[in-house]
Amino acid sequence: MLLTRENLPQTITDIAALDELLCRPSQALIDDLRKTSGDIMILGVAGKMGPTLAGLAKAAAPERRVIGVARFSDPTVKEWLQARGVETINCDLLDEAAIQALPKVANIVFMAGRKFGAEGDLSLTWAMNAHVPALVAQAFSSSRIVAFSTGCVYPFVPVDGKGSTEDMPPNPPGEYAQSCVGRERMFEYFSRKYSTPGRLFRLNYAIDMRYGVLHDIASKVLQGKPIDVSLGHVNFIWQGDASAQALRCLAHCETPTAPINVSGHEILAVRDLAAKFGQRFGRAPVIIGNEEPTAWLTDTSQAVKLFGLPVVETEQLISWTADWVSRSMPSLGKPTKYEVRDGRY
């Protein structure tokens, strides 16, 4: 079944249904992948988004090899991928020789990185977010490389504007976000050196039922926990839409590599989102703090021009999340920390 706005479910019953939905391709994704040739390898596949992105790639291009690379500290992730026809390779991406030994495929999606706990070991954060990209960019200089980045590379911008555009110079607070600028610069440098086509995929807040800004807000409303609105505005996107846009970027690479903002096209107030969950749960949200005039927000006009609007709209995401959280369905236990303003994660 293809993914369309018309066949979205009213509710997502369980993890199996969630995985199926996240791995369901649209015709636009299938068409864009047909514009490229060669196999697809996802580096750092075992994170929050990687498994279903790999599954989506295989579903959209079943005739091509899709290879997932990670340390696979959780063996169930490897089993999940293999059951969907995704090949797996165990690899520590801090090992240069191991990277060199990987198959030289035509299409690379780079998803490795370190965020949560970044402040606990900053040298490791920089090694993962800047050193590893330099190794990968050199090893796959003849491939297309779509490298996951973050909207956190931008400075805060006024909440009454449209958000940061791709031509705004990075100038973020905190070493985590600075290391993400380092990641981009490594891919940019080697893309220029070797004429490697690519994209820097600046993603703001993917939404899955098990984690994300909406999961964080809904859980706090349901539990009566305070919601800090000092960072009071966000934009976000359904994880399936984000994964599809990442794969579609393989057909829209540039030389040298260039950034693209990926998120929802709306700027949303945290206070309003909390109120919507409060209405659904029959309890008033506990709001603390006051909205600051700036936030981390991105303008996704370029992505909308290339890919169209996301398939899953905000109201659908709110409905799915409210249902999921109200039934005490599984959570990854990884808060987005969207409310952090000093860049310390």
Side-chain angles (χ1 to χ4, degrees), residues 152-241:
C152 294
V153 299
Y154 293 116
F156 289 125
V157 294
V159 300
D160 58 357
K162 294 183 178 180
S164 302
T165 59
E166 287 86 352
D167 58 3
M168 177 175 285
N171 184 26
E175 283 204 49
Y176 159 69
Q178 292 164 15
S179 73
C180 294
V181 178
R183 172 171 52 209
E184 290 196 2
R185 295 303 188 209
M186 291 301 97
F187 280 115
E188 181 185 9
Y189 172 78
F190 289 108
S191 175
R192 291 182 184 277
K193 181 175 181 178
Y194 297 117
S195 297
T196 304
R199 279 289 191 172
L200 303 170
F201 193 77
R202 291 176 176 168
L203 175 62
N204 251 20
Y205 298 128
I207 297 290
D208 174 343
M209 296 303 95
R210 295 163 292 192
Y211 80 96
V213 173
L214 287 181
H215 187 281
D216 293 350
I217 296 171
S219 298
K220 288 179 178 179
V221 172
L222 189 63
Q223 297 165 17
K225 293 183 177 180
I227 297 168
D228 186 350
V229 296
S230 57
L231 203 156
H233 295 78
V234 293
N235 42 17
F236 49 74
I237 186 170
W238 168 240
Q239 181 178 303
D241 279 312

XYZ file of all heavy atoms in Angstrom, residues 152-241:
719
model
N 19.454 23.113 14.963
C 20.141 23.753 16.086
C 21.438 24.445 15.677
O 22.064 25.106 16.505
C 20.448 22.717 17.175
S 18.991 22.024 17.960
N 21.874 24.289 14.418
C 23.069 25.018 13.971
C 22.777 26.509 13.807
O 23.708 27.319 13.753
C 23.639 24.456 12.650
C 24.056 23.003 12.824
C 22.664 24.619 11.501
N 21.493 26.874 13.749
C 21.135 28.278 13.586
C 21.097 28.986 14.941
O 20.916 28.347 15.987
C 19.744 28.396 12.958
C 19.646 27.905 11.533
C 18.842 26.822 11.201
C 20.340 28.544 10.504
C 18.726 26.384 9.894
C 20.232 28.110 9.187
C 19.428 27.031 8.888
O 19.319 26.595 7.590
N 21.217 30.295 14.929
C 20.921 31.052 16.138
C 19.413 31.112 16.364
O 18.625 30.730 15.493
C 21.488 32.450 15.819
C 21.369 32.561 14.329
C 21.618 31.168 13.796
N 19.003 31.571 17.533
C 17.587 31.823 17.760
C 17.111 32.947 16.846
O 17.856 33.884 16.553
C 17.339 32.229 19.220
C 17.516 31.115 20.206
C 18.385 31.250 21.275
C 16.816 29.934 20.075
C 18.547 30.232 22.193
C 16.970 28.902 20.982
C 17.838 29.050 22.052
N 15.866 32.829 16.397
C 15.291 33.848 15.516
C 13.936 34.279 16.074
O 13.325 33.568 16.883
C 15.126 33.312 14.073
C 16.483 33.046 13.450
C 14.267 32.047 14.050
N 13.429 35.456 15.679
C 12.138 35.930 16.191
C 11.002 34.960 15.888
O 10.908 34.423 14.786
C 11.937 37.266 15.457
C 13.320 37.721 15.112
C 14.092 36.465 14.818
N 10.130 34.771 16.871
C 9.033 33.811 16.708
C 7.930 34.358 15.806
O 7.069 33.597 15.349
C 8.434 33.411 18.079
C 9.493 32.760 18.953
C 7.817 34.608 18.790
N 7.947 35.678 15.543
C 6.921 36.233 14.673
C 7.375 36.317 13.219
O 6.703 36.917 12.383
C 6.492 37.621 15.175
C 7.646 38.604 15.266
O 8.801 38.201 14.993
O 7.393 39.775 15.612
N 8.524 35.681 12.912
C 8.999 35.619 11.535
C 8.701 34.274 10.911
O 7.819 33.534 11.370
N 9.449 33.932 9.872
C 9.242 32.673 9.164
C 10.259 31.600 9.536
O 10.171 30.466 9.059
C 9.290 32.921 7.648
C 8.147 33.786 7.136
C 8.211 33.932 5.629
C 7.041 34.759 5.106
N 7.095 34.913 3.627
N 11.234 31.955 10.381
C 12.274 30.994 10.744
C 13.533 31.212 9.935
O 13.579 32.002 8.986
N 14.580 30.481 10.294
C 15.882 30.603 9.632
C 15.830 29.996 8.238
O 15.300 28.899 8.045
C 16.956 29.876 10.442
O 17.034 30.388 11.756
N 16.407 30.677 7.276
C 16.566 30.122 5.942
C 17.958 29.528 5.802
O 18.852 29.785 6.617
C 16.368 31.206 4.869
O 17.332 32.249 5.088
C 14.970 31.784 4.934
N 18.145 28.736 4.759
C 19.400 28.003 4.591
C 20.607 28.917 4.415
O 21.745 28.490 4.667
C 19.307 27.057 3.389
C 18.431 25.834 3.619
C 16.967 26.052 3.343
O 16.554 27.218 3.106
O 16.204 25.060 3.362
N 20.392 30.156 4.020
C 21.538 31.051 3.821
C 21.913 31.831 5.074
O 22.847 32.638 5.051
C 21.276 32.022 2.651
C 20.026 32.865 2.843
O 19.373 32.751 3.903
O 19.698 33.633 1.925
N 21.226 31.572 6.194
C 21.602 32.216 7.452
C 22.848 31.545 8.012
O 22.884 30.327 8.165
C 20.463 32.131 8.468
C 20.816 32.714 9.832
S 19.413 32.727 10.978
C 18.477 34.102 10.310
N 23.896 32.291 8.345
C 25.129 31.680 8.863
C 24.884 30.984 10.202
O 24.211 31.536 11.079
C 26.076 32.874 9.029
C 25.528 33.940 8.147
C 24.046 33.751 8.141
N 25.411 29.777 10.379
C 25.283 29.105 11.677
C 25.973 29.898 12.784
O 27.060 30.441 12.573
C 25.995 27.764 11.450
C 25.962 27.558 9.972
C 26.065 28.932 9.374
N 25.315 29.973 13.938
C 25.909 30.657 15.086
C 25.166 30.219 16.345
O 24.492 31.011 16.987
C 25.825 32.177 14.907
C 26.515 32.916 16.046
O 27.425 32.378 16.686
N 26.068 34.130 16.331
N 25.282 28.930 16.703
C 24.441 28.397 17.766
C 25.088 28.488 19.151
O 26.319 28.545 19.278
C 24.293 26.937 17.365
C 25.623 26.611 16.734
C 26.065 27.870 16.037
N 24.274 28.447 20.206
C 24.807 28.335 21.561
C 25.121 26.872 21.905
O 24.450 25.956 21.429
C 23.661 28.858 22.424
C 22.427 28.485 21.658
C 22.807 28.596 20.202
N 26.130 26.657 22.715
C 26.406 25.314 23.234
C 27.302 24.476 22.357
O 27.271 24.577 21.126
N 28.114 23.636 22.983
C 29.086 22.835 22.230
C 28.432 21.743 21.394
O 28.973 21.359 20.362
C 30.133 22.230 23.177
C 31.179 23.230 23.618
C 32.478 22.552 24.035
O 33.000 21.701 23.297
O 32.953 22.884 25.127
N 27.290 21.210 21.828
C 26.634 20.199 20.997
C 26.340 20.778 19.622
O 26.724 20.211 18.584
C 25.339 19.695 21.638
C 24.416 19.079 20.618
C 24.746 17.874 19.996
C 23.250 19.728 20.205
C 23.939 17.327 19.005
C 22.437 19.195 19.226
C 22.781 17.992 18.626
O 21.981 17.473 17.646
N 25.648 21.915 19.584
C 25.285 22.510 18.299
C 26.514 22.957 17.530
O 26.565 22.862 16.298
C 24.325 23.677 18.522
N 27.539 23.436 18.256
C 28.780 23.821 17.576
C 29.424 22.605 16.902
O 29.951 22.703 15.785
C 29.739 24.454 18.569
C 29.272 25.803 19.101
C 30.024 26.243 20.342
O 31.077 25.689 20.673
N 29.483 27.216 21.049
N 29.373 21.461 17.571
C 29.940 20.255 16.966
C 29.147 19.836 15.730
O 29.708 19.240 14.803
C 29.986 19.103 17.982
O 28.695 18.562 18.245
N 27.858 20.168 15.702
C 27.047 19.877 14.515
C 27.439 20.784 13.349
O 27.385 20.358 12.184
C 25.562 20.027 14.834
S 24.951 18.808 16.027
N 27.829 22.024 13.657
C 28.403 22.881 12.618
C 29.688 22.248 12.105
O 29.952 22.215 10.898
C 28.667 24.303 13.144
C 29.323 25.158 12.055
C 27.379 24.964 13.623
N 30.487 21.700 13.036
C 31.701 21.001 12.627
C 31.419 19.848 11.677
O 32.139 19.651 10.690
N 30.374 19.089 11.952
C 29.975 17.991 11.058
C 29.683 18.522 9.661
O 30.177 17.977 8.664
C 28.735 17.298 11.627
C 28.111 16.263 10.683
C 27.036 15.458 11.391
N 26.054 16.299 12.051
C 25.378 15.937 13.151
N 25.608 14.773 13.721
N 24.490 16.752 13.680
N 28.897 19.572 9.589
C 28.568 20.147 8.284
C 29.821 20.630 7.561
O 29.975 20.426 6.353
C 27.588 21.303 8.455
C 26.188 20.874 8.874
C 25.176 21.992 8.661
O 25.566 23.071 8.156
O 23.998 21.784 8.995
N 30.712 21.288 8.301
C 31.915 21.828 7.662
C 32.809 20.729 7.105
O 33.447 20.910 6.047
C 32.687 22.706 8.643
C 31.968 23.974 9.087
C 31.567 24.849 7.927
N 31.057 26.139 8.392
C 30.171 26.871 7.762
N 29.683 26.450 6.597
N 29.773 28.034 8.243
N 32.865 19.587 7.796
C 33.679 18.481 7.276
C 33.100 17.955 5.958
O 33.828 17.754 4.978
C 33.766 17.353 8.304
C 34.575 17.688 9.552
S 36.296 18.145 9.183
C 36.180 19.937 9.195
N 31.782 17.751 5.922
C 31.173 17.290 4.670
C 31.316 18.346 3.571
O 31.551 18.016 2.403
C 29.700 16.937 4.892
C 29.493 15.572 5.502
C 28.943 15.441 6.771
C 29.856 14.427 4.817
C 28.760 14.193 7.337
C 29.675 13.168 5.378
C 29.131 13.049 6.644
N 31.187 19.608 3.957
C 31.326 20.678 2.970
C 32.752 20.735 2.420
O 32.962 20.836 1.200
C 30.962 22.012 3.619
C 31.043 23.198 2.676
C 30.782 24.514 3.385
O 30.697 24.539 4.634
O 30.693 25.534 2.682
N 33.741 20.642 3.308
C 35.139 20.728 2.868
C 35.480 19.612 1.881
O 36.035 19.864 0.804
C 36.074 20.649 4.081
C 37.534 20.547 3.690
C 38.241 21.665 3.280
C 38.187 19.311 3.701
C 39.574 21.567 2.893
C 39.517 19.200 3.325
C 40.200 20.333 2.920
O 41.518 20.225 2.526
N 35.142 18.381 2.249
C 35.515 17.262 1.377
C 34.628 17.188 0.136
O 35.054 16.680 -0.903
C 35.508 15.956 2.169
C 36.650 15.871 3.151
C 36.424 15.991 4.509
C 37.951 15.707 2.698
C 37.482 15.936 5.415
C 39.024 15.653 3.589
C 38.784 15.772 4.944
N 33.401 17.709 0.222
C 32.573 17.801 -0.972
C 33.209 18.741 -1.984
O 33.232 18.462 -3.189
C 31.168 18.294 -0.608
O 30.386 18.500 -1.757
N 33.750 19.853 -1.492
C 34.449 20.785 -2.391
C 35.736 20.155 -2.933
O 36.050 20.280 -4.126
C 34.768 22.085 -1.657
C 33.542 22.920 -1.330
C 33.921 24.219 -0.639
N 32.734 24.969 -0.254
C 32.041 25.763 -1.057
N 32.435 25.916 -2.320
N 30.988 26.407 -0.635
N 36.454 19.461 -2.071
C 37.744 18.886 -2.479
C 37.566 17.809 -3.541
O 38.339 17.737 -4.507
C 38.459 18.313 -1.258
C 39.823 17.710 -1.574
C 40.546 17.271 -0.313
C 41.924 16.684 -0.659
N 42.672 16.294 0.565
N 36.543 16.947 -3.353
C 36.383 15.794 -4.245
C 35.185 15.927 -5.198
O 34.875 14.971 -5.910
C 36.215 14.527 -3.414
C 37.406 14.186 -2.556
C 37.302 14.172 -1.161
C 38.634 13.865 -3.130
C 38.398 13.846 -0.365
C 39.736 13.552 -2.336
C 39.611 13.545 -0.968
O 40.695 13.230 -0.182
N 34.513 17.071 -5.179
C 33.296 17.265 -5.999
C 32.239 16.217 -5.687
O 31.589 15.660 -6.576
C 33.641 17.245 -7.497
O 34.506 18.308 -7.816
N 32.070 15.949 -4.406
C 31.082 14.971 -3.944
C 29.712 15.624 -3.840
O 29.537 16.589 -3.094
C 31.477 14.416 -2.560
O 32.787 13.873 -2.620
C 30.485 13.356 -2.099
N 28.704 15.128 -4.569
C 27.358 15.700 -4.438
C 26.731 15.318 -3.103
O 26.951 14.213 -2.591
C 26.591 15.076 -5.609
C 27.327 13.816 -5.923
C 28.764 14.046 -5.574
N 25.964 16.238 -2.540
C 25.359 15.916 -1.252
C 24.311 16.910 -0.819
O 23.981 17.871 -1.518
N 23.782 16.643 0.369
C 22.858 17.530 1.047
C 23.132 17.472 2.551
O 23.426 16.408 3.099
C 21.401 17.131 0.807
C 20.833 17.616 -0.515
C 20.621 19.113 -0.527
N 19.848 19.538 -1.687
C 19.394 20.774 -1.872
N 19.645 21.714 -0.983
N 18.695 21.069 -2.959
N 23.026 18.615 3.204
C 23.103 18.718 4.659
C 21.666 18.862 5.159
O 21.032 19.895 4.976
C 23.960 19.918 5.061
C 25.383 19.908 4.489
C 26.068 21.247 4.746
C 26.199 18.764 5.074
N 21.178 17.797 5.786
C 19.752 17.628 6.071
C 19.459 18.197 7.455
O 19.540 17.502 8.470
C 19.431 16.132 5.988
C 17.972 15.770 5.952
C 17.239 15.918 4.784
C 17.348 15.248 7.071
C 15.902 15.547 4.739
C 16.017 14.876 7.039
C 15.291 15.026 5.872
N 19.108 19.485 7.506
C 18.897 20.177 8.778
C 17.481 19.915 9.278
O 16.540 20.635 8.956
C 19.160 21.676 8.613
C 20.640 21.996 8.383
C 20.860 23.482 8.135
N 22.288 23.776 8.006
C 22.777 24.924 7.557
N 21.951 25.903 7.186
N 24.086 25.117 7.475
N 17.360 18.899 10.102
C 16.062 18.416 10.575
C 15.710 19.035 11.924
O 16.521 19.047 12.841
C 16.101 16.882 10.696
C 14.877 16.199 11.294
C 13.640 16.444 10.448
C 15.143 14.700 11.458
N 14.498 19.542 12.016
C 13.973 20.045 13.283
C 12.844 19.147 13.763
O 11.743 19.164 13.209
C 13.430 21.469 13.111
C 14.308 22.498 13.784
O 15.472 22.246 14.053
N 13.753 23.672 14.030
N 13.132 18.362 14.774
C 12.111 17.658 15.543
C 11.196 16.745 14.744
O 10.072 17.102 14.377
C 11.263 18.658 16.338
C 12.064 19.448 17.338
C 12.016 20.833 17.374
C 12.894 18.801 18.244
C 12.754 21.558 18.297
C 13.645 19.509 19.169
C 13.571 20.888 19.186
O 14.306 21.589 20.089
N 11.701 15.541 14.474
C 10.846 14.501 13.913
C 9.907 13.972 14.995
O 10.269 13.906 16.169
C 11.700 13.367 13.349
N 8.708 13.602 14.604
C 7.667 13.134 15.522
C 7.370 11.662 15.258
O 7.037 11.267 14.138
C 6.373 13.950 15.335
C 6.591 15.420 15.687
C 5.234 13.344 16.154
C 6.801 15.708 17.131
N 7.511 10.869 16.297
C 7.125 9.456 16.302
C 6.214 9.323 17.523
O 6.314 10.111 18.462
C 8.413 8.620 16.421
C 8.199 7.130 16.588
O 7.099 6.700 16.940
O 9.177 6.389 16.398
N 5.340 8.376 17.536
C 4.461 8.240 18.694
C 5.240 7.984 19.989
O 4.771 8.299 21.079
C 3.471 7.087 18.479
C 2.509 7.296 17.331
S 1.537 8.801 17.462
C 2.489 9.963 16.484
N 6.444 7.441 19.867
C 7.209 7.054 21.061
C 8.127 8.149 21.583
O 8.721 8.015 22.644
C 8.054 5.812 20.746
C 7.222 4.584 20.453
C 8.020 3.512 19.751
N 8.391 3.924 18.396
C 8.902 3.096 17.475
N 9.090 1.821 17.786
N 9.208 3.536 16.268
N 8.271 9.238 20.843
C 9.112 10.347 21.286
C 8.783 11.572 20.447
O 8.088 11.493 19.435
C 10.600 9.999 21.152
C 11.135 10.140 19.746
C 11.779 11.300 19.328
C 10.950 9.125 18.813
C 12.233 11.431 18.029
C 11.405 9.257 17.515
C 12.047 10.411 17.124
O 12.479 10.543 15.841
N 9.327 12.708 20.853
C 9.145 13.931 20.084
C 8.491 15.020 20.908
O 8.006 14.798 22.024
N 8.476 16.213 20.358
C 7.927 17.372 21.060
C 6.491 17.114 21.510
O 6.120 17.393 22.658
C 7.996 18.626 20.168
C 7.278 19.801 20.829
C 9.441 18.995 19.862
N 5.656 16.581 20.621
C 4.263 16.339 20.986
C 4.143 15.289 22.083
O 3.317 15.423 22.990
C 3.457 15.903 19.753
C 3.158 16.992 18.725
C 2.331 16.421 17.588
C 2.439 18.176 19.364
N 4.965 14.251 22.017
C 4.952 13.225 23.073
C 5.331 13.848 24.410
O 4.714 13.562 25.444
C 5.918 12.094 22.711
C 5.855 10.922 23.635
N 6.466 10.921 24.876
C 5.250 9.711 23.525
C 6.243 9.763 25.462
N 5.510 9.011 24.673
N 6.346 14.711 24.400
C 6.781 15.365 25.638
C 5.666 16.220 26.225
O 5.363 16.148 27.428
C 8.007 16.253 25.371
C 9.243 15.458 24.983
O 9.219 14.217 25.102
O 10.227 16.087 24.558
N 5.035 17.033 25.376
C 3.986 17.935 25.864
C 2.769 17.151 26.333
O 2.231 17.395 27.421
C 3.594 18.938 24.767
C 4.777 19.857 24.428
C 2.390 19.775 25.199
C 4.552 20.740 23.207
N 2.337 16.186 25.542
C 1.156 15.398 25.909
C 1.367 14.656 27.219
O 0.472 14.612 28.079
C 0.826 14.404 24.790
N 2.537 14.064 27.394
C 2.823 13.312 28.618
C 2.775 14.217 29.843
O 2.237 13.838 30.897
C 4.197 12.642 28.515
O 4.225 11.707 27.448
N 3.325 15.426 29.710
C 3.309 16.357 30.843
C 1.897 16.816 31.168
O 1.525 16.941 32.339
C 4.216 17.551 30.547
C 5.703 17.214 30.587
C 6.559 18.428 30.273
C 8.041 18.071 30.357
N 8.902 19.240 30.032
N 1.093 17.068 30.149
C -0.293 17.468 30.395
C -1.045 16.357 31.109
O -1.744 16.590 32.106
C -1.004 17.832 29.076
C -2.496 18.068 29.313
C -0.371 19.075 28.448
N -0.890 15.134 30.627
C -1.612 14.001 31.209
C -1.182 13.751 32.647
O -2.007 13.400 33.501
C -1.372 12.746 30.355
C -2.222 11.519 30.701
C -3.699 11.805 30.481
C -1.787 10.314 29.862
N 0.099 13.938 32.936
C 0.635 13.674 34.274
C 0.557 14.876 35.205
O 0.936 14.785 36.371
C 2.088 13.213 34.159
C 2.267 11.903 33.411
C 3.711 11.650 33.001
O 4.632 12.267 33.517
N 3.904 10.746 32.045
N 0.081 16.014 34.686
C -0.012 17.214 35.511
C 1.321 17.851 35.816
O 1.452 18.602 36.792
N 2.338 17.573 34.999
C 3.656 18.153 35.202
C 3.737 19.517 34.525
O 3.106 19.748 33.499
C 4.738 17.227 34.635
C 4.866 15.917 35.390
C 6.007 15.077 34.807
C 6.190 13.786 35.597
N 7.295 12.955 35.031
N 4.526 20.437 35.099
C 4.610 21.779 34.517
C 5.276 21.784 33.145
O 6.201 21.015 32.878
C 5.444 22.557 35.536
C 6.196 21.527 36.309
C 5.317 20.322 36.346
N 4.800 22.656 32.285
C 5.339 22.825 30.940
C 5.936 24.218 30.841
O 5.224 25.222 30.964
C 4.232 22.641 29.882
C 3.683 21.213 29.941
C 4.748 22.959 28.485
C 2.409 21.008 29.165
N 7.237 24.283 30.640
C 7.954 25.543 30.545
C 7.796 26.097 29.124
O 8.179 25.445 28.157
C 9.432 25.332 30.880
C 10.221 26.627 30.946
O 9.685 27.689 30.559
O 11.393 26.586 31.370
N 7.226 27.285 29.008
C 6.988 27.865 27.679
C 7.989 28.968 27.344
O 7.767 29.749 26.418
C 5.546 28.404 27.547
C 4.537 27.273 27.667
C 5.271 29.501 28.559
N 9.104 29.027 28.079
C 10.076 30.077 27.769
C 10.624 29.908 26.353
O 10.845 30.889 25.640
C 11.212 30.092 28.795
O 11.853 28.848 28.863
N 10.884 28.659 25.942
C 11.098 28.401 24.525
C 9.741 27.947 23.998
O 9.433 26.771 23.987
C 12.179 27.351 24.274
C 12.821 27.446 22.873
C 14.214 26.844 22.861
C 11.957 26.818 21.816
N 8.958 28.927 23.595
C 7.528 28.703 23.455
C 7.010 28.405 22.076
O 5.794 28.264 21.886
N 7.909 28.285 21.090
C 7.462 28.032 19.727
C 8.350 26.975 19.074
O 9.575 26.966 19.269
C 7.483 29.320 18.904
C 6.501 30.344 19.388
N 6.744 31.123 20.502
C 5.264 30.698 18.917
C 5.695 31.919 20.707
N 4.800 31.684 19.765
N 7.732 26.096 18.304
C 8.455 24.976 17.688
C 7.902 24.717 16.292
O 6.803 25.160 15.944
C 8.307 23.682 18.529
C 9.006 23.810 19.874
C 6.830 23.319 18.725
N 8.699 24.021 15.491
C 8.121 23.347 14.333
C 8.639 21.919 14.301
O 9.703 21.619 14.845
C 8.342 24.076 13.007
C 9.725 24.660 12.822
O 10.689 24.317 13.512
N 9.856 25.548 11.873
N 7.836 21.026 13.734
C 8.165 19.602 13.753
C 7.508 18.919 12.564
O 6.653 19.495 11.887
C 7.727 18.947 15.070
C 6.306 19.252 15.474
C 5.232 18.662 14.830
C 6.042 20.132 16.513
C 3.922 18.940 15.192
C 4.731 20.423 16.892
C 3.678 19.831 16.234
N 7.906 17.665 12.332
C 7.451 16.922 11.167
C 7.307 15.446 11.521
O 8.074 14.914 12.339
C 8.441 17.117 9.984
C 7.927 16.457 8.683
C 9.825 16.598 10.341
C 8.766 16.831 7.453
N 6.325 14.797 10.954
C 6.136 13.352 11.112
C 7.403 12.631 10.669
O 7.976 12.940 9.613
C 4.930 12.924 10.294
C 4.707 11.451 10.096
C 4.661 10.801 8.905
C 4.456 10.464 11.106
N 4.406 9.463 9.100
C 4.277 9.227 10.441
C 4.391 10.505 12.499
C 4.022 8.042 11.133
C 4.125 9.327 13.189
C 3.948 8.125 12.505
N 7.858 11.683 11.454
C 9.111 10.996 11.150
C 9.075 10.324 9.779
O 10.084 10.294 9.062
C 9.415 9.953 12.227
C 10.723 9.215 11.972
C 11.038 8.231 13.070
O 11.127 8.601 14.236
N 11.199 6.963 12.704
N 7.947 9.790 9.382
C 7.849 9.167 8.060
C 8.073 10.166 6.939
O 8.744 9.868 5.946
N 7.524 11.375 7.105
C 7.754 12.427 6.111
C 9.222 12.843 6.094
O 9.803 13.071 5.028
C 6.877 13.646 6.415
C 5.445 13.488 5.910
O 5.265 13.101 4.742
O 4.509 13.758 6.679
